């Protein structure tokens, strides 16, 4: 049996369960806005039409939160947590494929599924959990934006945090150019950094890693300290994001495909390819950041940049503010700082757009509330800015990365509240009809969810201790 194929034919009433209710529509302005060719059209024509939803998802997987956790993992533990990046990326691929499948087969997003098929009392708690995840993710975008403003314009971190509140205006201005244009610009910047990392890892002599050691680290799980467990949970939260599991089923509905069996089968197939290709790129970028951080920072107090200049740092150096040094051996200090800051700002803004869309999905899906995107953006950003500004005001700007990692740990702790409903619906013959999960994704999806939840419980004592130290500035 092909894992991507339906598991069996079903009675008409089972198929009818997959038809959305009248009036239920995710991201109404985008719903069915992209035409797709007939399922008999050639592979590349269909792939071009379906390619896109996972681009948005993958950009969220390469936001400042990911960069912060990868930098800390490499700087503190060398390659020891590379296996976590690989495992988290693989689990993300499985879960996003399942999320896309639910959206295609049911015509609903995950929040709508919960509203329609779970008891009424679950709606508010589930909505609040999703909102906490969105705010935690937005906190990472706030911090990334503030660091970028510091690097580009020498604006202090505290004021940079406040200024990020104006991104509501930037968001509205960027939306005029269309989502595809925005994502193309952001992906170009991320690809530029990816090419630079590729040259440093495979070409530049002074930054070539030990590939054998990397290979061992990738396949040898180890968690030897509470600090390592804490960062590992942060990597998982940065890679498998709960709010994106709510958003992806809505994004796939932007494609206007027919509802016959062959068209649905094709939509599932091509969205699966979309997920695998884009999240594989996200894995390579995140792994490269960790590897370069290990080479440049681990066990060192300085780095020699292009031109022979030596830049000093110490154990108290904030990883995200020194991250540009991973590019400095190739580009030099000034060019590396500018490129990294622009990419950091752009990836944060792109992830902000994804967060706004996810917020719209969960609010409309769980609560049936509709508000304009700019007001939604303003509320979420304000809820992220206030605690961030208080933290920076109390503890200074030298531990921004600690707060970044903490925000990603919060995301990891929220994951079970999104994963288990998603898998419950995707596994249900009644809800999905013949498109319920086949044996492969059934095992991979539930295995991923149980493993992530076990990670959360196993690391909870260390997480609470580390989080308290970060909050108290210890």
């Amino acid at each position: 049996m092909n894992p991507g194929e339906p598991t069996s034919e079903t009675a008409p009433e089972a198929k009818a369960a997959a038809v959305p209710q009248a009036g239920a529509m995710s991201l109404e302005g985008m719903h069915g806005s992209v035409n797709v060719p007939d399922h008999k059209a050639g592979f590349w024509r269909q792939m071009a039409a379906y390619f896109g939803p996972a681009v948005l998802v993958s950009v969220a997987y390469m936001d400042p939160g990911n960069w912060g956790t990868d930098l800390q993992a490499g700087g503190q533990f060398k390659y020891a947590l590379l296996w976590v990046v690989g495992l988290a990326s693989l689990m993300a691929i499985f879960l996003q494929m399942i999320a896309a499948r639910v959206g295609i087969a049911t015509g609903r997003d995950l929040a709508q599924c919960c509203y329609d098929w779970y008891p009424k009392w679950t709606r508010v708690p589930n909505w609040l959990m999703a909102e906490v995840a969105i705010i935690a993710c937005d906190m990472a975008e706030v911090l990334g934006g503030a660091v970028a403003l510091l690097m580009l314009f020498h604006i202090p971190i505290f004021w940079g945090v406040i200024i990020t509140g104006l991104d509501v205006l930037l968001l509205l201005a960027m939306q005029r150019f269309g989502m595809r244009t925005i994502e193309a610009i952001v992906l170009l910047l991320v690809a530029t950094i990816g090419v630079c990392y590729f040259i440093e890892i495979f070409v530049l002599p002074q930054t070539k890693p030990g590939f054998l050691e990397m290979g061992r680290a990738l396949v040898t799980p180890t968690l030897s300290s509470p600090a390592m467990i804490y960062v590992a949970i942060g990597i998982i939260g940065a890679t498998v994001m709960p709010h994106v599991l709510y958003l992806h089923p809505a994004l796939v509905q932007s494609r206007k495909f027919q509802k016959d069996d062959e068209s649905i089968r094709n939509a599932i197939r091509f969205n699966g390819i979309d997920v695998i290709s884009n999240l594989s790129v996200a894995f390579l970028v995140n792994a490269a950041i960790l590897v370069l951080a290990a080479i440049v920072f681990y066990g060192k107090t300085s780095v020699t940049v292009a031109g022979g200049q030596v830049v000093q740092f110490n154990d108290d150096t904030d990883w995200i503010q020194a991250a540009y040094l991973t590019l400095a051996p190739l580009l030099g200090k000034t060019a590396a700082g500018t490129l990294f800051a622009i990419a950091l700002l752009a990836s944060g803004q792109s992830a902000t757009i994804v967060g706004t869309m996810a917020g719209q999905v969960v609010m409309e899906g769980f609560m049936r509330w509709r508000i304009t995107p700019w007001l939604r953006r303003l509320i979420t950003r304000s809820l992220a800015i206030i605690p961030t500004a208080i933290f920076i005001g109390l503890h200074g700007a030298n531990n921004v990365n600690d707060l970044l990692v903490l925000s990603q740990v919060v995301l990891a702790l929220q994951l079970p509240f999104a994963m288990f409903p998603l898998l419950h619906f995707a596994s249900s013959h009644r809800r999905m009809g013949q498109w319920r999960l086949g044996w492969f994704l059934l095992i991979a999806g539930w295995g991923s969810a149980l493993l992530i939840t076990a990670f959360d419980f196993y690391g909870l004592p260390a997480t609470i201790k580390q989080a308290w130290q970060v909050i108290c500035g210890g």
Side-chain angles (χ1 to χ4, degrees), residues 122-379:
T122 64
R123 293 171 187 170
V124 172
N126 279 336
W127 170 61
L128 290 176
M129 289 295 179
E131 292 289 358
V132 167
I134 292 168
I135 292 168
C137 186
D138 210 46
M139 186 178 290
E141 323 315 348
V142 166
L143 291 166
V147 170
L149 292 174
L150 172 68
M151 296 173 69
L152 289 171
F153 307 112
H154 306 292
I155 297 173
I157 293 287
F158 179 84
W159 293 110
V161 166
I162 303 299
I163 289 170
T164 58
L166 299 176
D167 83 336
V168 176
L169 302 176
L170 180 60
L171 175 63
L172 294 175
M174 290 173 70
Q175 283 181 325
R176 292 182 181 180
F177 297 101
M179 192 62 67
R180 286 184 179 265
T181 302
I182 295 168
E183 297 307 330
I185 293 171
V186 173
L187 288 177
L188 177 62
L189 288 165
V190 173
T192 302
I193 284 189
V195 170
C196 292
Y197 281 156
F198 178 87
I199 293 172
E200 287 192 318
I201 290 174
F202 293 102
V203 179
L204 211 61
Q206 65 265 40
T207 51
K208 275 190 178 181
F211 290 103
L212 186 60
E213 186 180 359
M214 280 174 52
R216 282 198 299 265
L218 193 59
V219 298
T220 309
T222 178
L223 292 170
S224 57
S225 69
M228 188 178 285
I229 295 171
Y230 178 75
V231 176
I233 292 173
I235 291 173
I236 292 172
T239 306
V240 191
M241 292 190 167
H243 63 288
V244 182
L245 296 178
Y246 285 101
L247 177 61
H248 202 167
L251 291 174
V252 297
Q253 295 174 52
S254 64
R255 270 53 185 175
K256 193 174 182 179
F257 54 89
Q258 299 299 314
K259 301 304 180 183
D260 60 279
D261 285 358
E262 195 61 37
S263 296
I264 292 175
R265 184 177 290 107
N266 265 16
I268 291 172
R269 175 192 176 199
F270 285 106
N271 275 284
I273 297 171
D274 188 26
V275 168
I276 292 170
S277 57
N278 281 289
L279 295 196
S280 295
V281 171
F283 159 69
L284 292 175
V285 171
N286 286 320
I289 293 172
L290 185 150
V291 168
L292 264 298
I295 294 168
V296 172
F297 296 128
Y298 182 75
K300 297 180 181 177
T301 57
S302 65
V303 58
T304 303
V305 304
Q309 182 183 0
V310 177
V311 179
Q312 302 288 335
F313 54 86
N314 53 50
D315 291 339
D316 295 325
T317 298
D318 196 49
W319 298 116
I320 192 69
Q321 296 185 55
Y324 74 95
L325 292 174
T326 59
L327 293 171
L330 176 66
L331 301 176
K333 183 179 178 181
T334 303
T338 301
L339 174 62
F340 195 90
I342 292 172
L344 186 64
L345 187 62
S347 69
Q349 286 303 314
S350 183
T352 286
I353 294 171
V354 174
T356 302
M357 295 167 67
Q360 181 182 342
V361 165
V362 299
M363 181 176 285
E364 293 180 2
F366 280 121
M367 306 305 294
R368 296 298 193 257
W369 294 343
R370 290 179 179 269
I371 62 176
T372 58
W374 71 265
L375 180 59
R376 163 79 214 186
R377 181 81 227 110
L378 184 62
I379 293 170

